[in-house]
Amino acid sequence: MTRTRSVWIRADGDVGDWDTRRERITAGLEAGVDWVLVDERDVSKVRELGDVNVAAFRSDADVDVIDDAESGDDAVADAYIVGKNGEGDGTVDLPSDLSGSADLSTLRRDDNRAQGAFVRIFDEEYEAFAEAAAREAEFVVVASENWQIIPLENLIARIGDDTTLVAGATTAEEARTAFETLELGAEGVLLDTDDPDEIRKTVEVRDEADRETLDLTTATVTAIERTGSADRVCVDTGTMMDHDEGMLVGSMSRGLFFVHAETADSPYVASRPFRVNAGAVHAYVRTPDGGTKYLSELRSGDEVQVLDTEGKTREAVVGRVKIEKRPMFRVQAEVETDDGEVDRVETLIQNAETVKVATAGGRKAVTDLAEGDEVLVYYEDVARHFGEAVEESIIEQ
């Protein structure tokens, strides 16, 4: 599994007047950023624009924590950041002994005064300051006008999991570099741009970084037979899927079949590229966290994993689950395991020309499947308990 990444949009007073900041924030909300970083006085204004995590610069180390009763919850940030107009950005010189830093002292206080530090990396001394802040803070936001890869590499290597490292960026490509540096990458980027396209592209880069790529394999069909009717599940998502995309479903959690979305027109029905005719209610479907759910458990608002035939995944929100009685096929196949053994996997899938699975030769209607066909599956030799992989022996048959 990959790490969860985040995109922060910078919208404090240093980037322009309120109209400029509001447009930037709105573009971020529409693109799907995770955090907005503003000055403390603007927290409630951001709350009025939309639902997003709000971080606020707290530049005066002596300012009292906002009184929720007087100011209202909307004026309270989700995280407070020190360092602006202070030691972190060079406005105030760093002390010769970093332990005497006012910013670090604020972070050490136990009254929820600040959760993060903002540090501009001018030289090795400021690298050391960011490293010291990481020992005290939940977030360390680092930026530089002339950003170099080496300081970021150093911080990633030294900070590790001590804190959430957020790297400054002005473009989506800089964000990609931050996410990929040392393969581990920063956990977040602070984007400083007014360009809606760059904001949107940066969110797309975040989503790509969060997604896993699965190693798909082939299984040889050993039996396909008509069964009686069963409660069949169509998963209608809020996403238009491409021709080579679908979902992983199956009767056995260790072996899930690639079932295509209904992207192809047919003489019988128009294409519905938001839909996967997935199988019977008992079957598993893979979710973005690497777990599984029963098809019968899916509800509007849940997330399922969508992938293409190369194994590249993304998430999709379930809009509707449609359950109807339909005649079914039982598809059984054999897959070779890593240790050279042969394992059996199977699933129930609707007997209909419009339902297609991925095979070694391309997509194929289940009504045309035959013994000997090689179908695409995701196989992992694990048992599952409530959708989570577990180290135990479970027999599925």
Side-chain angles (χ1 to χ4, degrees):
M1 294 296 293
T2 54
R3 307 167 82 198
T4 299
R5 316 288 180 164
S6 61
V7 174
W8 300 46
I9 191 79
R10 184 167 184 177
D12 62 299
D14 287 356
V15 306
D17 59 20
W18 171 244
D19 287 341
T20 300
R21 302 198 301 274
R22 184 181 63 232
E23 289 182 7
R24 182 182 285 203
I25 293 167
T26 301
L29 292 171
E30 291 175 350
V33 300
D34 305 283
W35 287 83
V36 174
L37 177 59
V38 294
D39 293 320
E40 194 169 357
R41 65 178 180 272
D42 289 335
V43 172
S44 60
K45 293 180 181 178
V46 179
R47 301 284 191 206
E48 293 173 358
L49 294 175
D51 183 14
V52 68
N53 294 310
V54 185
F57 278 122
R58 172 159 285 167
S59 56
D60 183 355
D62 295 323
V63 71
D64 290 333
V65 179
I66 290 177
D67 186 334
D68 292 10
E70 294 182 3
S71 302
D73 290 342
D74 285 349
V76 180
D78 297 294
Y80 288 99
I81 310 293
V82 295
K84 181 182 175 183
N85 297 329
E87 294 154 343
D89 67 0
T91 302
V92 177
D93 290 339
L94 290 176
S96 56
D97 181 0
L98 291 180
S99 63
S101 158
D103 287 344
L104 294 184
S105 296
T106 303
L107 288 167
R108 293 189 187 106
R109 296 183 62 155
D110 59 4
D111 57 5
N112 209 33
R113 191 171 294 262
Q115 293 77 37
F118 174 77
V119 184
R120 288 182 62 194
I121 308 298
F122 298 103
D123 52 31
E124 290 182 358
E125 188 177 11
Y126 281 86
E127 276 189 47
F129 183 60
E131 192 176 342
R135 292 191 286 271
E136 312 293 341
E138 295 178 31
F139 308 98
V140 174
V141 184
V142 295
S144 173
E145 291 182 1
N146 299 302
W147 186 249
Q148 302 293 322
I149 297 300
I150 298 302
L152 183 57
E153 288 182 348
N154 292 341
L155 289 171
I156 291 171
R158 293 170 185 165
I159 289 175
D161 295 328
D162 289 346
T163 188
T164 296
L165 180 63
V166 182
T170 59
T171 67
E173 281 308 305
E174 289 180 2
R176 186 186 302 278
T177 298
F179 284 142
E180 294 176 352
T181 298
L182 287 186
E183 297 187 2
L184 188 64
E187 290 178 285
V189 294
L190 174 65
L191 189 62
D192 188 358
T193 181
D194 292 323
D195 187 342
D197 286 337
E198 286 299 330
I199 297 172
R200 176 181 51 78
K201 289 176 184 176
T202 300
V203 172
E204 291 175 355
V205 168
R206 174 205 67 190
D207 292 343
E208 291 173 9
D210 279 345
R211 291 168 184 155
E212 62 180 340
T213 299
L214 301 179
D215 291 326
L216 301 178
T217 189
T218 56
T220 303
V221 175
T222 55
I224 179 166
E225 60 185 23
R226 296 174 184 267
T227 68
S229 293
D231 291 330
R232 181 271 286 135
V233 179
C234 281
V235 182
D236 290 349
T237 71
T239 298
M240 301 295 278
M241 284 174 268
D242 292 333
H243 192 68
D244 63 345
E245 288 186 313
M247 294 177 194
L248 293 171
V249 294
S251 296
M252 298 173 174
S253 58
R254 64 184 183 273
L256 303 177
F257 292 73
F258 188 113
V259 180
H260 274 285
E262 293 189 358
T263 56
D265 287 319
S266 79
Y268 313 101
V269 65
S271 66
R272 289 177 172 80
F274 53 82
R275 171 178 293 175
V276 173
N277 186 331
V281 287
H282 73 285
Y284 296 103
V285 62
R286 202 168 195 270
T287 53
D289 60 357
T292 58
K293 279 190 173 183
Y294 293 116
L295 288 173
S296 60
E297 293 178 337
L298 291 181
R299 298 291 184 271
S300 178
D302 287 346
E303 284 192 334
V304 289
Q305 188 175 70
V306 169
L307 75 164
D308 63 19
T309 51
E310 299 297 319
K312 296 177 182 177
T313 68
R314 61 189 179 103
E315 62 283 341
V317 175
V318 176
R320 172 180 55 232
V321 175
K322 189 178 178 186
I323 303 175
E324 300 164 303
K325 283 197 178 298
R326 291 292 186 268
M328 308 294 283
F329 275 130
R330 184 181 72 88
V331 180
Q332 177 182 291
E334 290 183 346
V335 60
E336 184 175 342
T337 66
D338 290 339
D339 58 9
E341 300 294 322
V342 173
D343 194 9
R344 174 182 57 84
V345 295
E346 64 178 57
T347 194
L348 290 183
I349 196 164
Q350 185 181 341
N351 179 351
E353 298 88 346
T354 54
V355 184
K356 296 178 172 60
V357 295
T359 73
R363 59 194 294 149
K364 194 170 190 178
V366 294
T367 50
D368 295 330
L369 273 183
E371 292 184 20
D373 283 343
E374 293 186 326
V375 293
L376 210 58
V377 300
Y378 177 65
Y379 181 85
E380 52 179 351
D381 192 11
V382 298
R384 289 190 180 269
H385 182 67
F386 291 107
E388 297 292 330
V390 293
E391 295 285 342
E392 67 175 325
S393 176
I394 293 179
I395 297 174
E396 295 176 301
Q397 60 184 26

